[in-house]
Amino acid sequence: MHERAEAMLPAVAETLGSRERLSVLHAAAPDMTVADSDFEPLARLAASLFDAPIALVTLVDHEWEWFKAAVGTTETRTRTEESFCAHAIGDRGPFLVLDASAHPVLRHNRKVAQAPFLRFYAGAPIVLGGQAVGTVCVLDGTPRAEIAAKQLDALQEIADAAASLLKLKDEARRRALKEAALSREEQRLGMALDAANVGSWLWDIRSGTVAGNGAMMRMFGLPPERTLSAKAVFGAIHPDDRGATFAKLRQAMAANEEYDGMFRIRANGRWLLGRGRVHDRDSRGLALTFLGMTIDVSEQQASVQRTRLLLKELNHRVKNTLAMLQSLARQTLRQTSDPAEFMTAFAGRLQAISEAHGLLSDYEWGTIRLAELISKQLKPYVSDYAEQVEIHKDEVLLGPDQAVGLGLVLHELATNAVKYGSLSVPKGKIVLTARSVVEEGSAVLHLTWTEVGGPPVREPRRRGFGSLLIERSLDKIIGSSVKVEYLPAGVTALIRLPL
């Protein structure tokens, strides 16, 4: 039946190497090479049952037999071709050898022919998923005359217990892996929520506590503890918003709907958006826990408020502009009888107002720089702005009324300069000097317009609408004034404008 002492029966070798058995073995015991003290009581029980000096709990693959627990030997493994247990796995039932020296196959085994001169063996297979993956066995150097059938039955029960223990350990390992994966996922989620500045919280209604992440505690202006009393958390809400927030929470709990509300935090004034719903209820339907999240929407709220203010400002500006346009139209019409001349003059003044409004709109009707206003109003009237406009100025910011009024003044001065002054000749230029000074504790702009290089100037015999517009464009700014001097060398305008 064999040619070498190490040879196994072909059927046994085929069983040990089957893909199905190895798959079950590696899935149930990925750490089969490591001894496990939990199996030692089973090995001791088997040794006691047979009064045997050696007892093993083993797992067998196609190459090695690994000892998960061993009594009476310090070895941790043996090669499969030298294993008695391989035959127990092949037989799929208790395998008994009373005297191995007389066994037709095992008498050639090295451990029978040489030390430790094994003679007696009894082994029962450990079966998992319909596959024998190992054994519980006993060995002795002394042969036995006979073994009672109930001893073999008891040995199989021990092997079945080992199978149950392996199954329990596998389930525990899988559960631990799943819990570890869940814990890692929770950690990743927690880190993602913190990174995104999203607060998450769980309100335990029975214990009166709220557990929240770091982002939630920061938003509420609370200490970094993960669990606080519900009183401390809800007390952080602004008193003006607290009643409405509680009412929405109670309504959501009663109707089993999602809570959705905005509120402010008392300590820092931040606006938070809260959302959540009941997580679980007791047998009577009463809410036990409430799960939710919060997002800081302070910037969005500030944007909404800013938009409202801008709309109010725009409404105010539209009314003022319409009144100004009516006045401009009437006054321009009075000064001109030619429709074409009226359209030219009126369109220019509309453009001046439009340029100022465009700048203010770009800056959300806040403040604009004087240099930008000057550039917008004068560039249409010069061919080379850098050569024909010389500016000496402080950095000055203008409000809406100041910008619109000063824009009209600059437009009228530029229009006159093109018609009669320095901008009517190629070499003429405008020199602007702007200085911000403090008068009686308040900032005042002193702006000087000087025309240079133009034709000789004579004071006009009558004052036209342009002159009146220059003087009255800043009437809305209390304390402002415009004085125009027609000096022979060029027109000079002295503008005083409180900032």
Side-chain angles (χ1 to χ4, degrees):
M1 294 178 62
H2 59 277
E3 296 180 357
R4 300 177 57 199
E6 299 89 351
M8 294 185 296
L9 293 173
V12 173
E14 184 178 348
T15 299
L16 293 178
S18 73
R19 183 178 299 176
E20 291 79 10
R21 194 190 77 86
L22 292 176
S23 176
V24 171
L25 173 63
H26 290 296
D31 56 347
M32 61 182 168
T33 63
V34 180
D36 188 339
S37 59
D38 289 342
F39 289 93
E40 285 186 8
L42 297 178
R44 295 186 184 282
L45 181 60
S48 174
L49 178 65
F50 284 86
D51 192 23
I54 301 173
L56 305 172
V57 177
T58 75
L59 295 174
V60 184
D61 63 20
H62 61 290
E63 187 176 0
W64 292 97
E65 176 185 17
W66 303 93
F67 302 168
K68 296 298 287 182
V71 172
T73 179
T74 58
E75 291 184 356
T76 60
R77 64 179 182 173
T78 188
R79 288 200 170 274
T80 301
E81 60 263 25
E82 296 179 352
S83 167
F84 286 36
C85 296
H87 298 275
I89 290 174
D91 284 358
R92 291 291 195 91
F95 182 65
L96 178 65
V97 179
L98 297 176
D99 186 354
S101 64
H103 191 275
V105 175
L106 293 178
R107 65 190 177 88
H108 299 286
N109 190 300
R110 183 177 59 83
K111 292 188 176 183
V112 175
Q114 303 174 21
F117 302 105
L118 295 175
R119 294 293 182 267
F120 170 70
Y121 172 87
I126 298 172
V127 179
L128 288 174
Q131 300 292 330
V133 297
T135 67
V136 175
C137 65
V138 293
L139 301 105
D140 195 350
T142 303
R144 302 288 176 96
E146 62 178 352
I147 292 295
K150 64 180 182 180
Q151 285 180 285
L152 290 178
D153 292 340
L155 184 63
Q156 184 60 64
E157 290 178 0
I158 297 173
D160 292 343
S164 297
L165 183 56
L166 272 173
K167 187 176 181 180
L168 286 173
K169 282 180 167 290
D170 180 46
E171 290 174 352
R173 179 181 61 82
R174 291 176 185 273
R175 187 163 53 250
L177 289 175
K178 189 178 293 185
E179 289 173 355
L182 181 60
S183 176
R184 287 194 298 272
E185 186 62 29
E186 288 176 347
Q187 289 177 353
R188 282 196 294 269
L189 178 60
M191 291 171 64
L193 290 175
D194 266 342
N197 200 30
V198 175
S200 63
W201 46 272
L202 181 67
W203 176 19
D204 189 327
I205 299 170
R206 288 174 301 180
S207 66
T209 59
V210 175
N213 67 350
M216 179 264 187
M217 296 302 179
R218 289 193 301 271
M219 290 178 193
F220 278 70
L222 295 171
E225 287 86 357
R226 293 294 178 174
T227 302
L228 293 173
S229 70
K231 183 178 180 180
V233 173
F234 293 128
I237 299 174
H238 196 284
D240 293 347
D241 301 335
R242 202 175 297 154
T245 300
F246 284 150
K248 284 191 174 183
L249 278 170
R250 285 194 293 268
Q251 180 181 348
M253 286 191 284
N256 200 28
E257 296 174 345
E258 184 174 292
Y259 160 73
D260 186 344
M262 275 203 303
F263 52 87
R264 287 167 295 171
I265 296 302
R266 180 178 56 183
N268 52 33
R270 306 293 291 178
W271 279 95
L272 303 183
L273 171 65
R275 286 184 174 169
R277 66 182 309 128
V278 173
H279 185 250
D280 58 343
R281 299 177 182 271
D282 63 14
S283 57
R284 295 174 296 169
L286 297 176
L288 298 177
T289 56
F290 198 96
L291 182 65
M293 55 171 285
T294 52
I295 302 173
D296 192 326
V297 292
S298 300
E299 290 187 8
Q300 292 89 325
Q301 280 297 104
S303 178
V304 169
Q305 294 298 325
R306 188 162 58 247
T307 300
R308 289 174 180 167
L309 289 174
L310 285 174
L311 288 174
K312 288 177 66 176
E313 177 68 21
L314 184 59
N315 184 49
H316 170 70
R317 290 292 151 199
V318 167
K319 290 180 179 178
N320 283 352
T321 301
L322 288 175
M324 181 184 294
L325 291 178
Q326 287 178 333
S327 176
L328 278 175
R330 284 196 301 266
Q331 294 296 334
T332 305
L333 191 58
R334 286 176 187 172
Q335 299 294 320
T336 57
S337 56
D338 181 9
E341 186 181 348
F342 165 79
M343 287 302 300
T344 300
F346 188 62
R349 287 156 186 166
L350 286 181
Q351 185 63 30
I353 296 173
S354 175
E355 296 290 0
H357 276 235
L359 280 175
L360 289 166
S361 178
D362 289 343
Y363 289 92
E364 296 186 343
W365 292 91
T367 57
I368 61 174
R369 292 186 301 156
L370 174 62
E372 289 185 80
L373 181 67
I374 293 172
S375 173
K376 279 285 186 182
Q377 297 296 348
L378 299 190
K379 274 189 175 181
Y381 300 98
V382 295
S383 56
D384 188 337
Y385 184 79
E387 289 294 326
Q388 293 180 273
V389 180
E390 181 181 326
I391 303 177
H392 306 277
K393 66 173 184 60
D394 294 334
E395 195 61 47
V396 176
L397 295 176
L398 303 172
D401 286 332
Q402 297 161 330
V404 173
L406 186 55
L408 271 175
V409 171
L410 294 173
H411 166 75
E412 293 298 328
L413 289 171
T415 301
N416 289 336
V418 169
K419 288 181 179 179
Y420 315 110
S422 61
L423 297 183
S424 65
V425 296
K427 297 296 185 180
K429 64 188 299 185
I430 304 296
V431 178
L432 286 163
T433 303
R435 294 288 179 256
S436 176
V437 298
V438 177
E439 296 179 1
E440 299 179 356
S442 299
V444 178
L445 171 66
H446 285 223
L447 176 63
T448 302
W449 167 290
T450 304
E451 297 183 22
V452 178
V457 174
R458 290 180 298 175
E459 188 165 353
R461 293 177 183 178
R462 70 179 184 89
R463 297 172 68 205
F465 175 59
S467 299
L468 291 173
L469 190 58
I470 289 171
E471 294 176 2
R472 295 179 183 176
S473 290
L474 296 175
D475 279 354
K476 297 185 74 172
I477 314 298
I478 297 175
S480 65
S481 63
V482 181
K483 182 180 180 182
V484 180
E485 297 180 348
Y486 296 91
L487 303 177
V491 172
T492 299
L494 306 174
I495 302 169
R496 181 183 186 277
L497 182 63
L499 297 174

